[in-house]
Amino acid sequence: MSNAPKHIPVLLNEVLEALCPQDGKTYIDATFGNGGYSEALLKAADCRLLAIDRDPAVRTRAEELKNKYGNRFRFCAGKFGDLALLTDESADGIVFDIGVSSMQIDQPERGFSYNKDAPLDMRMSCEGISAADIVNTYDEKELSDIIYRFGEERKSRQIAANIIRARHNAPIATTRQLAEIIYQVIFKKPGQPDPATRTFQALRIAVNDELGELERGLAAGLSLVKPDGRMAVVTFHSLEDRIVKNFFKLKSGKSNGVSRYLPDNAAPLSAELTFCSKALLPTAAEVERNPRAHSAKLRYAIKSDKETAQ
């Protein structure tokens, strides 16, 4: 068995109710992580499941489920934004759990957390540009824009300027170094949210192209879900939730707003979704049991039972 810390899947009961797993059906867990949603779906029904994750650290857990569920479970390494390239198999339901996983936060060497000193990395796939690359090579405006756009940090300019000054003396190589630079701009106060939270979130999103992945993943997921199939998406901050909400609204024919999926003068799309839920929140009991659930939101949608012309 794996010695990895057990990740508690957020809004698990609500996700199962949203997807309504049934015997003989096929499901996709687009963000496998530690397999919480995958195993719950496999236990809930005699179904088949495809799990996807870009993080090589999840392979051991995937092997556990493969050994336990045999041909009912299949794992594919890759980004969920590339979902349509990873499989051409249609599904009766798909779940996305967006953002960093508890396992990644709990591994200091991954560099996602400011609570422990570690290399400034933040790469979910363990390859490509790192957070250290960004803070040590991007110019002041680029840094400020990333911190403001992805972290919604009002003091992004001051933080970016501090980063530039600090790296003149030596490269910023660790999470602790970066956190201390942020604390020079926003003082750390007992009982208050850590001032580094927004900047670390912004860098993590930039390193992993999380919002672009979400947009591509939603479009690909909808194309793979069968008529009358279901999509469930768990998000953890307003940037993610806004993308999901607007995508579902657009695809249900309730929005004529500008979209990257339509030219400016295009006619509204015919409805591809027949139902879109409001945001579902964790109960107080769940938040007490799992504090990381406090900012989670679940939205789900049901695809039309008629194929929509593309």
Side-chain angles (χ1 to χ4, degrees):
M1 295 291 291
S2 170
N3 292 322
K6 290 299 181 184
H7 167 67
I8 304 173
V10 171
L11 290 161
L12 178 59
N13 292 333
E14 291 83 354
V15 166
L16 290 176
E17 289 179 12
L19 292 182
C20 193
Q22 299 176 39
D23 294 352
K25 301 290 188 179
T26 300
Y27 299 91
I28 297 174
D29 182 351
T31 49
F32 177 69
N34 201 44
Y37 295 122
S38 290
E39 186 155 33
L41 286 164
L42 290 164
K43 285 181 177 178
D46 185 15
C47 60
R48 294 188 304 117
L49 185 133
L50 168 64
I52 294 168
D53 205 296
R54 68 165 90 177
D55 189 344
V58 308
R59 304 288 177 83
T60 300
R61 176 61 172 152
E63 283 299 319
E64 289 179 8
L65 292 193
K66 181 66 176 175
N67 292 335
K68 187 172 182 178
Y69 294 99
N71 291 335
R72 292 177 55 204
F73 176 81
R74 182 164 67 91
F75 176 78
C76 183
K79 301 176 183 179
F80 65 77
D82 296 331
L83 192 55
L85 301 176
L86 297 173
T87 182
D88 57 4
E89 183 177 13
S90 57
D92 297 282
I94 182 169
V95 58
F96 297 85
D97 180 5
I98 307 304
V100 67
S101 76
S102 297
M103 292 189 308
Q104 290 165 334
I105 292 173
D106 290 337
Q107 296 169 346
E109 68 275 11
R110 303 295 297 274
F112 286 101
S113 175
Y114 41 78
N115 290 323
K116 296 180 180 178
D117 201 20
L120 189 57
D121 195 321
M122 302 192 191
R123 296 173 297 175
M124 292 179 179
S125 62
C126 299
E127 60 185 18
I129 189 172
S130 70
D133 293 327
I134 290 177
V135 300
N136 287 298
T137 64
Y138 282 30
D139 66 32
E140 187 171 332
K141 184 179 185 306
E142 289 174 316
L143 287 171
S144 176
D145 287 348
I146 285 172
I147 296 167
Y148 181 78
R149 180 185 176 194
F150 298 144
E152 299 180 298
E153 173 57 73
R154 289 177 296 176
K155 295 190 176 182
S156 60
R157 291 182 179 177
Q158 296 98 307
I159 292 170
N162 253 25
I163 289 173
I164 297 297
R165 281 194 291 270
R167 78 187 195 194
H168 279 322
N169 298 322
I172 302 166
T174 71
T175 55
R176 184 66 52 78
Q177 283 178 279
L178 179 60
E180 291 299 331
I181 290 167
I182 297 165
Y183 299 152
Q184 292 170 10
V185 177
I186 312 172
F187 298 123
K188 191 174 182 180
K189 299 177 181 178
Q192 297 294 317
D194 195 294
T197 301
R198 293 181 182 274
T199 298
F200 270 67
Q201 171 185 295
L203 289 170
R204 192 200 78 222
I205 290 173
V207 165
N208 299 289
D209 187 23
E210 291 181 30
L211 301 186
E213 283 292 303
L214 177 55
E215 291 178 339
R216 292 187 292 273
L218 290 172
L222 182 57
S223 72
L224 290 174
V225 171
K226 297 176 183 177
D228 213 28
R230 295 168 177 243
M231 295 178 65
V233 189
V234 177
T235 60
F236 290 87
H237 58 74
S238 60
L239 297 175
E240 297 168 344
D241 181 60
R242 193 176 304 129
I243 289 173
V244 177
K245 179 181 178 180
N246 290 341
F247 179 84
F248 282 172
K249 188 175 181 182
L250 175 70
K251 296 302 183 178
S252 63
K254 296 178 182 178
S255 173
N256 295 334
V258 176
S259 164
R260 69 176 59 224
Y261 305 107
L262 290 172
D264 292 341
N265 60 351
L269 289 173
S270 56
E272 294 181 61
L273 299 174
T274 58
F275 173 81
C276 301
S277 76
K278 294 182 179 180
L280 304 178
L281 306 179
T283 63
E286 178 175 3
V287 173
E288 183 176 0
R289 190 169 62 248
N290 180 16
R292 286 175 178 169
H294 80 277
S295 60
K297 291 182 180 180
L298 166 67
R299 294 182 188 271
Y300 72 95
I302 301 175
K303 190 171 182 177
S304 169
D305 60 3
K306 300 178 179 64
E307 292 287 2
T308 304
Q310 299 295 318

